[in-house]
Amino acid sequence: MKEIKVVIGHRLGKGFKVAKGVEKAGGKAIVIPGVGADMKLGDVMHKENADIGISFCGGGGGGALAAGNKYGYKATYDLRSIESGITAIKKGYKVLGFSFLDVEELGSKIVEAYKKKDND
């Protein structure tokens, strides 16, 4: 199975906890540096040929919607829990927009759900 690439864009320049979870689950995490990183999500996903993009901001929508609009990625936003992210992956979403939920478990569960979806 190929390595799953996950790009993470956090409005406040964070995202390192979720990245740690991605890597624990066997994925490759690419954290976009700096404040406003969520708005660069689509560009970095496109450049890196990423499998998943995760955007974090207050409402969980800006970076996810921008990535979807610019590159045609199937995007969802306003996600507030790990379970909602897993459901989005199962439904085929490529870009997930969360409120501030930079936790390790989110990264690992998203990668695990993607692997399972790929094997179904």
Side-chain angles (χ1 to χ4, degrees):
M1 172 181 258
K2 76 175 188 93
E3 184 176 55
I4 298 165
K5 283 189 193 177
V6 181
V7 176
I8 302 158
H10 192 289
R11 175 65 51 130
L12 302 176
K14 299 178 182 181
F16 299 102
K17 291 177 185 171
V18 76
K20 188 175 181 180
V22 166
E23 291 172 355
K24 276 189 173 181
K28 178 180 180 182
I30 301 163
V31 179
I32 304 167
V35 174
D38 60 316
M39 297 309 291
K40 301 172 187 171
L41 184 67
D43 293 335
V44 176
M45 286 178 67
H46 183 73
K47 178 183 171 200
E48 296 289 338
N49 195 26
D51 300 293
I52 304 168
I54 300 176
S55 172
F56 292 106
C57 68
L65 289 174
N69 288 336
K70 187 170 184 179
Y71 293 100
Y73 298 136
K74 188 173 180 183
T76 187
Y77 63 95
D78 199 28
L79 302 175
R80 306 276 180 205
S81 68
I82 293 167
E83 293 77 23
S84 64
I86 292 167
T87 299
I89 290 293
K90 288 178 181 177
K91 290 181 176 181
Y93 286 96
K94 186 173 180 109
V95 184
L96 312 176
F98 288 91
S99 59
F100 296 119
L101 188 63
D102 185 17
V103 295
E104 194 174 309
E105 184 182 11
L106 175 65
S108 61
K109 296 288 186 182
I110 292 297
V111 170
E112 289 166 7
Y114 189 87
K115 285 179 182 177
K116 186 175 181 184
K117 178 188 79 71
D118 251 12
N119 289 329
D120 287 345

